[in-house]
Amino acid sequence: MSDHPLLREWPDLDVREEAARIDPGDVFFTDPNYQADPRLTLYTTRSAFAHLARETRRNYSGDCCLFFNFLWQRGKNWCDAEADDLLDFEDWRRWSPRNPQRISGAKWDRELTALTRLYKWATAKKYVAVNPVLMREVLGRNGEISSVPAQRAKDVRSSNVKWLTPRTYRLWRDVGLRGYTADGRRDPSFRGRNDDRNAAYSDLLFSSGMRLSEGGSLLTFEVPVLVETMKRYFDGRLGKAATKSRRERTFYVAIEDLRSIVTYERTTRRAVVRRAQAKGRYEAMDDVWVLESRSGWRQSILHIRDEKGRLVKRDLNSLDVEERQLLFTKGDNGLEPLWLWLSEDGRPFLPHSWEAIYRAASQRCQKVLEGKVPQPPYFTPHMARHSFALKMLVALMHALDKRFGLTPEERKDFRLLYGDAWRMVKDLLDHASEETTRKIYLAPVSDLQIRSLLLDEADPGTNELLTRIAKISERVLDSEELI
C-alpha cells in the first residue's frame, strides 16, 4: 500500500483493484488533478496494449503522457485532440527553437506509433469523434496497400548503430566493468562492486545476442549446464513470455562466457544469498512463490506454492519478467531466489538497472583511456546485439564460402537445406523479418562481399575479417586502431 496522502482514505484499495481486474504492474493515467480516466484504464488493461512487453508499455505510456500534458496546457483533455494539435505537437517536439530538447525522427516515430495505437482503439470504441492521427495509404514492396501515419518522419536513420569487435569489447569490459587500467593491470583506485556479476552478464549478451530484459530475467536453472566437452557453444531456452516477440527460442553462449556465469553463481551470488538469508530478508517478503518441483517435457511445468499457500501449476513459458522475480526455492539455509542476477542485498537485480551499469562503465573508459587511445570505446546493451549480429554474419558467411569449400551449385543446395547466413542471424536475433536484420543492424556492412576480402592471402579467421571490416567502416570500432 502506498503512503501517498490521497490513498490513505482507501484502506481497501487492493480489494477495489481486484474487483476492477487491475493487476500489479498495470499502467493507468491520471490528469493533473489526480483524476483517473476509466477509458484510458480500459485501454491499458483490456486492449492489446496490456500484452506488449513491459519496456514497450513503459515507453508508450511516457510518450502518451507528453502529448496529454501538451493538450492540458491548451485546456483540452486527451479525447478532445484534433489533427492540428498533433501537428503543433510535432513542431514543438522536433523543430521549435523554444524547445531546448528537440528529438530525432526515430524518436518522433516511436511517439507517433504510441499515439496511433491509442487513438485507433479510442476511435473504434467511439471515445473520440475524430482520430487526430491522419493516415495515408502507401504501396508495399509486394504491391499491397497499407495505411501509415501521415506525420511519419522522413529523416529517420534506421542504420544509426555501432559495433565493437571482440577485442575492443574486451577492452571496454576489462577497463569499464572490471576496473583494469589501459595496460591490463588492476586499478587499485577502482571502487566498483559486483564486477564479476557485471562482466558475466555483459559477456552473456555479447555472446548470445539476447536483449537486455531477456538476459536480465534468466533463472538459475535456465543457465546451460557446464560440462567438460569439446563444444565451443552451449545452448539454452528462453521462455516466450519473457521475450519481446513472445516466442520461445534457443540461445547460444560460448563456453568461456558460460564459465564466467558459473563462477559468479558459485562466489559472489552465493555470498549475497547467504547474507540475505542470515538477515531473514527473504522470509520477510510478502510475494514469494516457492518452487517445489518441475515436471513435463523439458521440465517446463512448475509446481509452485504461491503467496497464499496454494499449490499451483505454472508453465515456465507463461511467466513474464515480473512473475519470474517471485520465484524462490527452499534449501537447507532457507529461501533462495531463482532469479540469476542479484543486487547486493540479495534481491533480484532489475533489468532496467543494467543501463546505469553500462553508462558508468563507458564513463570510466572515457576517463581512464583518455589520451591513451584515439577513441575510448563506449558500449550499450543494445550494441551487444549489433556486435553479435555482425560477428555471426561474418563467421557464418566465412564458413559457407571457405571452410566447407562448396561449389556454387553445392552452396545453392546448402542454402535450400539450411537457409543462408542472413536468415540464420535473423533467427538468432529473434527478428520477425530478414529485412529488419539487413536494414537496421547490419546496414553499413551488408553490401560487403566477404570473398573479396580473401583474394590476396591465405584463409584468415573470423577475428581477422572483423578487423578488415573495421578499417573500411567507421561504425565498427576495433582496438587495434584505438591502441
Side-chain angles (χ1 to χ4, degrees), residues 356-465:
I357 298 294
Y358 276 67
R359 282 195 300 272
S362 293
Q363 290 167 0
R364 173 175 162 77
C365 282
Q366 182 69 33
K367 179 180 178 180
V368 172
L369 299 176
E370 184 70 33
K372 296 182 174 62
V373 299
Q375 187 178 358
Y378 72 94
F379 201 52
T380 68
H382 208 63
M383 283 175 65
R385 280 173 64 76
H386 306 164
S387 302
F388 166 82
L390 176 62
K391 178 179 64 176
M392 293 306 299
L393 177 71
V394 172
L396 291 168
M397 282 187 168
H398 180 51
L400 295 178
D401 281 351
K402 291 292 292 186
R403 193 170 301 168
F404 293 161
L406 303 178
T407 66
E409 189 62 31
E410 289 171 335
R411 191 176 297 112
K412 178 180 178 181
D413 293 338
F414 190 93
R415 284 198 301 268
L416 289 174
L417 181 61
Y418 295 105
D420 62 16
W422 287 104
R423 182 176 178 181
M424 294 178 190
V425 174
K426 174 194 80 77
D427 292 339
L428 288 169
L429 288 172
D430 193 31
H431 283 162
S433 69
E434 187 178 304
E435 182 179 7
T436 301
T437 308
R438 288 178 178 269
K439 291 182 65 176
I440 297 181
Y441 285 85
L442 303 167
V445 293
S446 63
D447 58 345
L448 290 174
Q449 295 296 319
I450 300 300
R451 276 192 305 276
S452 69
L453 301 173
L454 311 179
L455 292 178
D456 56 350
E457 61 182 76
D459 180 19
T462 298
N463 288 337
E464 174 63 23
L465 292 176

Side-chain angles (χ1 to χ4, degrees), residues 188-204:
S189 68
F190 180 64
R191 293 295 179 266
R193 300 186 297 270
N194 297 300
D195 52 314
D196 59 339
R197 179 200 67 185
N198 299 341
Y201 172 81
S202 186
D203 286 346
L204 172 67

Side-chain angles (χ1 to χ4, degrees), residues 127-329:
Y127 293 148
V128 298
V130 179
N131 190 339
V133 183
L134 301 178
M135 307 295 289
R136 63 184 179 89
E137 292 186 341
V138 297
L139 184 65
R141 176 177 294 181
N142 298 319
E144 72 281 4
I145 301 294
S146 60
S147 294
V148 299
Q151 290 176 247
R152 280 205 310 186
K154 298 179 174 61
D155 58 346
V156 176
R157 293 185 62 186
S158 63
S159 60
N160 189 24
V161 295
K162 291 186 181 293
W163 299 258
L164 294 189
T165 60
R167 59 183 167 190
T168 308
Y169 161 72
R170 290 191 292 270
L171 174 66
W172 174 87
R173 178 201 63 194
D174 291 344
V175 173
L177 294 179
R178 289 180 168 171
Y180 282 56
T181 61
D183 58 2
R185 299 179 182 179
R186 280 280 187 178
D187 184 350
S189 68
F190 180 64
R191 293 295 179 266
R193 300 186 297 270
N194 297 300
D195 52 314
D196 59 339
R197 179 200 67 185
N198 299 341
Y201 172 81
S202 186
D203 286 346
L204 172 67
L205 260 59
F206 190 81
S207 179
S208 67
M210 282 193 280
R211 297 177 176 90
L212 177 148
S213 62
E214 293 169 347
S217 62
L218 278 183
L219 304 174
T220 54
F221 58 74
E222 291 178 312
V223 177
V225 177
L226 180 62
V227 296
E228 292 301 323
T229 178
M230 297 297 293
K231 292 193 305 183
R232 294 176 54 202
Y233 281 84
F234 288 74
D235 61 288
R237 299 290 292 178
L238 288 174
K240 64 181 181 181
T243 67
K244 183 178 180 180
S245 66
R246 297 296 190 267
R247 291 193 297 263
E248 183 185 13
R249 77 175 192 276
T250 301
F251 68 90
Y252 300 90
V253 57
I255 186 170
E256 60 270 20
D257 302 321
L258 181 56
R259 288 195 182 107
S260 297
I261 298 172
V262 172
T263 299
Y264 157 70
E265 286 188 276
R266 294 174 178 175
T267 55
T268 301
R269 187 183 187 279
R270 181 175 295 173
V272 299
V273 168
R274 295 294 180 263
R275 288 198 298 268
Q277 289 173 333
K279 294 180 179 180
R281 187 163 289 144
Y282 301 137
E283 300 289 347
M285 295 174 66
D286 294 328
D287 296 333
V288 169
W289 293 355
V290 181
L291 177 65
E292 299 203 345
S293 63
R294 298 164 59 194
S295 64
W297 189 55
R298 287 181 177 164
Q299 298 287 289
S300 61
I301 302 301
L302 310 184
H303 301 262
I304 297 169
R305 187 73 63 179
D306 70 10
E307 71 278 8
K308 296 181 180 180
R310 300 170 301 189
L311 186 62
V312 297
K313 292 182 182 180
R314 292 286 188 273
D315 190 327
L316 180 60
N317 274 313
S318 71
L319 299 181
D320 60 23
V321 174
E322 291 74 32
E323 291 171 324
R324 286 166 164 256
Q325 297 170 29
L326 307 178
L327 286 174
F328 283 71
T329 186

